[in-house]
């Protein structure tokens, strides 16, 4: 029978969404509880443009949740939209397609934030969540979803997320970040589908070949490490010859009774 432990269920989740959501939750917990200095992970474009550039902020700046209940809600909505795209989006049948989408959309959001500069943001996560939700729900025409216990058509969910953010403390920041994400998702949709299909232009955001090679190399490395671990574990298992116990048809308990004696 298949194992149904929490660990088994976790490892069966979509790998990219699972890894990013886990990092988002754990890093945010460490940040808000004081285990990780906030200046290490936050989004600061000035630190990225300086020399040497702190390029890790291009990733960590999009993977920090809001405080308090945001730890749960932001992680959930991120994983829900990301996993829907990773497993069911018709234009993201390969891992590298989804990774390239994340790179493009995050780049759009960062560029918009740099040039618009309405207010300083510690993280751009809300924009990424709205962008993911918009792209995912475009494939769910005719479906109904519940957002904050309110039923609505699935394609309207990103707009509801932006509007409802104004009802919470600090919602003005989430409102503008949501607009950034919505614009970024529209840009990706236009450049990859609308303009090539309806305008007859090229798809300038096709997944590059180096992304495919990179993903294949990482997958090969992971498989090699996993295979070596399994081989090493099986090689360390004791055998009958190494333990001095001979195999045979009798149960092990019978072999410990000493030498046999004839009856009569």
């Amino acid at each position: 029978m298949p194992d149904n432990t929490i660990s088994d269920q976790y490892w069966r989740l979509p790998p990219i969404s699972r890894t990013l959501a886990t990092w988002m939750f754990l890093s945010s917990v460490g940040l808000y509880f004081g285990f990780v200095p906030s200046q290490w992970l936050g989004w600061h474009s000035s630190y990225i443009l300086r020399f040497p550039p702190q390029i890790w902020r291009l990733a960590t700046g999009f993977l920090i949740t809001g405080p308090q209940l945001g730890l749960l809600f932001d992680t959930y909505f991120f994983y829900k939209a990301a996993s829907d795209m990773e497993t069911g989006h018709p234009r993201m049948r390969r891992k590298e397609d989804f990774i390239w989408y994340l790179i493009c959309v995050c780049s759009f959001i960062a560029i918009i934030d740099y040039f618009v500069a309405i207010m300083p943001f510690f993280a751009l996560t809300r924009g990424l969540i709205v962008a993911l939700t918009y792209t995912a729900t475009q494939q769910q025409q005719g479906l109904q979803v519940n957002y904050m216990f309110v039923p609505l058509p699935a394609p309207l969910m990103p707009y509801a997320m932006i509007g409802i953010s104004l009802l919470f403390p600090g919602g003005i920041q989430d409102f503008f970040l949501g607009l950034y994400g919505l614009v970024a998702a529209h840009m990706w949709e236009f450049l990859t589908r609308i303009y090539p299909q309806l305008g007859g232009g090229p798809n300038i955001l096709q997944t590059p070949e180096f992304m495919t090679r990179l993903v294949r190399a990482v997958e090969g490395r992971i498989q090699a490490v996993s295979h070596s671990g399994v081989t090493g574990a099986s090689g360390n298992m004791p055998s009958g010859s190494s333990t001095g116990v001979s195999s045979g048809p009798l149960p092990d308990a019978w072999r410990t009774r000493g030498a046999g004696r004839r009856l009569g």
Side-chain angles (χ1 to χ4, degrees):
M1 295 180 61
D3 295 331
N4 287 317
T5 64
I6 295 178
S7 176
D8 295 325
Q9 294 178 8
Y10 173 81
W11 289 110
R12 284 196 292 265
L13 298 175
I16 300 174
S17 305
R18 175 192 69 209
T19 303
L20 293 179
T22 302
W23 170 268
M24 176 183 290
F25 180 78
L26 294 180
S27 63
S28 299
V29 168
L31 189 150
Y32 290 121
F33 284 88
F35 301 121
V36 179
S38 60
Q39 63 269 22
W40 288 4
L41 303 179
W43 172 258
H44 297 287
S45 58
S46 60
Y47 287 95
I48 298 173
L49 299 176
R50 70 193 304 180
F51 185 83
Q54 299 181 2
I55 58 175
W56 65 84
R57 297 182 188 272
L58 293 172
T60 60
F62 289 90
L63 296 174
I64 299 175
T65 71
Q68 301 174 358
L69 290 178
L71 283 169
L72 299 178
F73 285 112
D74 287 349
T75 303
Y76 169 76
F77 285 119
F78 172 85
Y79 173 77
K80 180 64 172 63
S83 61
D84 286 346
M85 292 183 58
E86 186 177 356
T87 59
H89 198 282
R91 284 182 286 154
M92 299 182 193
R93 302 183 184 277
R94 305 175 301 171
K95 293 183 178 67
E96 53 265 37
D97 296 330
F98 182 49
I99 295 174
W100 183 244
Y101 166 86
L102 292 174
I103 293 174
C104 292
V105 169
C106 289
S107 299
F108 291 155
I109 295 174
I111 292 172
I112 294 171
D113 176 64
Y114 179 77
F115 285 102
V116 176
I118 294 178
M119 60 181 65
F121 297 108
F122 178 69
L124 304 180
T125 310
R126 175 63 61 164
L128 177 58
I129 293 174
V130 170
L132 286 166
T133 303
Y134 174 84
T135 306
T137 55
Q138 290 303 298
Q139 307 301 319
Q140 301 172 357
Q141 301 288 338
L143 297 181
Q144 292 282 324
V145 297
N146 288 317
Y147 181 68
M148 297 297 181
F149 307 105
V150 178
L152 71 162
L156 296 182
M157 186 173 175
Y159 302 96
M161 296 174 71
I162 295 174
I164 291 179
S165 64
L166 292 173
L167 302 179
F168 296 93
I172 188 64
Q173 288 192 341
D174 290 342
F175 175 80
F176 284 113
L177 282 175
L179 292 180
Y180 290 179
L182 195 62
V183 172
H186 273 289
M187 292 174 62
W188 186 84
E189 190 75 13
F190 176 80
L191 293 173
T192 60
R193 185 181 67 86
I194 298 176
Y195 181 58
Q197 294 182 5
L198 302 181
N203 181 359
I204 62 175
L205 293 181
Q206 284 186 340
T207 304
E209 184 63 28
F210 77 85
M211 285 297 304
T212 301
R213 293 196 297 267
L214 178 61
V215 170
R216 296 295 177 267
V218 173
E219 288 180 336
R221 180 60 178 170
I222 293 175
Q223 292 176 359
V225 172
S226 301
H227 179 72
S228 63
V230 172
T231 304
S234 61
N236 292 330
M237 293 180 62
S239 61
S241 59
S242 63
T243 57
V245 179
S246 61
S247 60
L250 297 179
D252 290 341
W254 289 20
R255 300 194 194 106
T256 61
R257 299 303 182 185
R261 298 184 180 276
R262 296 178 60 185
L263 298 178

